[in-house]
Amino acid sequence: MLAGRMQVGIVTLFPEMFTAVTSFGITGRACRDGIVEVACWSPRDYAKDRHGTVDDKPFSGGAGMLMKTGPLCDAIAAAKAWNDKTPSVIYLSPQGRRLDHTGVTLLAQRRNLVLVCGRYQGIDERVLKTEIDEEWSIGDYVLSGGELAAMVMLDAIIRYQPGALGHEDSAGLDSFADSNTGLSLLDCPRYTRPREFAGLTVPEVLIGGNHELVRRWQLKQRLGQTWLKRPDLLAQQSLDQHEQVLLNEFISEYGTLPT
Ligand code: 21W
């Protein structure tokens, strides 16, 4: 299992953005409890001129600036030195390995990280080569910088630190795969009060209080919802006999019942 608190140093021109992760909800509590220690370094604080210049022209000419190498490397060095052990230095970039559940569990096991957030058109190739250990992306769409990507990564990683999820959430973790193998099945439909809403009722099995039947219904729904909405996820795994029976039930009932 994981041991010891995690340290994540962030190199960013916009440190305030990270309060969204460090101050609120599950991730905010994890930071306050010391499960994870997050600290930011801004290249701005390492700028040498009186204007605090942190961007620079590309040699290619044309539109678009790059992160100025000096302040960027000084901020990375400070973030590395702050870590108690040698960190993995990660650059968030569209060229990186796509983050998915497997990647999150991999990164969640590291005790020391530095996340480097690019702005403008990114960083100099030689800084990449000499300072960066790994490059990660969060998906094939264009963001304005690495901060939101780093925050997504950070949020996902913090959830996997022992003690980060309260007791309410950890109870649901055993429910087949959710925490262990991750997003292998989609969630089942959930209902709260009132029993009738917008003319729609709560499935009877959930009200009956038979926990065995509830668990069976929930697993069947998870298999069915995954079959309906993410057949690619289902194709990646083999179902045991019980699961196959439940899915077959869902499929044969699908379309014959009112939703
Ligand atoms: C986006 C900087 C695009 C530079 C193709 C060739 C970090 C990110 C980012 C950014 C360009 C991540 C171009 C998913 C993201 C990030 C800022 C280059 C011109 N396009 N994951 N040349 N998407 N993005 N644009 O954007 O820093 S992780």
Side-chain angles (χ1 to χ4, degrees):
M1 216 22 204
L2 309 177
R5 107 190 157 314
M6 181 180 212
Q7 292 182 300
V8 185
I10 314 277
V11 173
T12 172
L13 288 172
F14 302 115
E16 298 90 340
M17 288 180 72
F18 287 84
T19 60
V21 174
T22 58
S23 300
F24 300 96
I26 286 168
T27 53
R29 184 179 57 196
C31 292
R32 284 192 296 277
D33 290 353
I35 290 169
V36 60
E37 201 178 345
V38 177
C40 293
W41 281 265
S42 175
R44 186 81 62 190
D45 296 330
Y46 299 89
K48 292 280 188 281
D49 62 339
R50 61 193 168 88
H51 303 292
T53 304
V54 290
D55 63 350
D56 212 341
K57 297 177 295 185
F59 273 111
S60 57
M65 299 292 275
L66 294 170
M67 306 272 290
K68 189 170 176 64
T69 57
L72 174 62
C73 290
D74 289 351
I76 293 173
K80 287 173 76 166
W82 165 81
N83 270 273
D84 292 333
K85 293 186 174 166
T86 307
S88 303
V89 182
I90 290 172
Y91 177 46
L92 284 307
S93 111
Q95 282 74 46
R97 167 175 170 181
R98 177 107 56 90
L99 185 66
D100 62 7
H101 172 72
T102 302
V104 169
T105 57
L106 195 81
L107 294 169
Q109 294 174 48
R110 314 274 179 85
R111 295 301 77 197
N112 294 274
L113 293 175
V114 169
L115 306 183
V116 179
C117 305
R119 280 277 153 175
Y120 320 118
Q121 295 300 301
I123 69 178
D124 183 283
E125 186 66 19
R126 295 156 304 173
V127 175
L128 188 59
K129 196 168 174 183
T130 59
E131 304 297 329
I132 305 297
D133 300 315
E134 303 169 30
E135 229 179 330
W136 290 79
S137 163
I138 63 162
D140 296 336
Y141 40 83
V142 179
L143 302 173
S144 304
E147 282 81 6
L148 283 170
M151 289 159 69
V152 166
M153 178 181 274
L154 191 55
D155 182 294
I157 287 171
I158 290 174
R159 293 176 57 79
Y160 279 89
Q161 301 307 307
L165 299 183
H167 295 293
E168 349 82 56
D169 249 309
S170 48
L173 295 181
D174 57 301
S175 74
F176 170 29
D178 231 8
S179 78
N180 303 318
T181 45
L183 227 194
S184 47
L185 288 179
L186 300 186
D187 209 350
C188 59
R190 292 167 183 273
Y191 299 86
T192 183
R193 297 183 292 178
R195 276 177 71 152
E196 187 182 325
F197 176 81
L200 302 170
T201 54
V202 176
E204 209 55 50
V205 61
L206 299 181
I207 293 157
N210 184 329
H211 298 303
E212 196 47 49
L213 282 182
V214 168
R215 284 171 61 86
R216 188 182 190 280
W217 180 88
Q218 288 177 332
L219 179 54
K220 177 172 160 182
Q221 290 299 318
R222 295 184 65 192
L223 289 159
Q225 294 303 320
T226 310
W227 173 73
L228 281 172
K229 297 173 181 170
R230 290 293 305 276
D232 59 307
L233 286 181
L234 219 44
Q236 288 166 22
Q237 52 200 313
S238 50
L239 304 182
D240 68 24
Q241 198 182 328
H242 178 55
E243 292 158 0
Q244 194 59 61
V245 166
L246 290 176
L247 179 57
N248 289 345
E249 267 185 38
F250 184 98
I251 292 171
S252 66
E253 290 164 10
Y254 180 69
T256 73
L257 291 174
T259 48

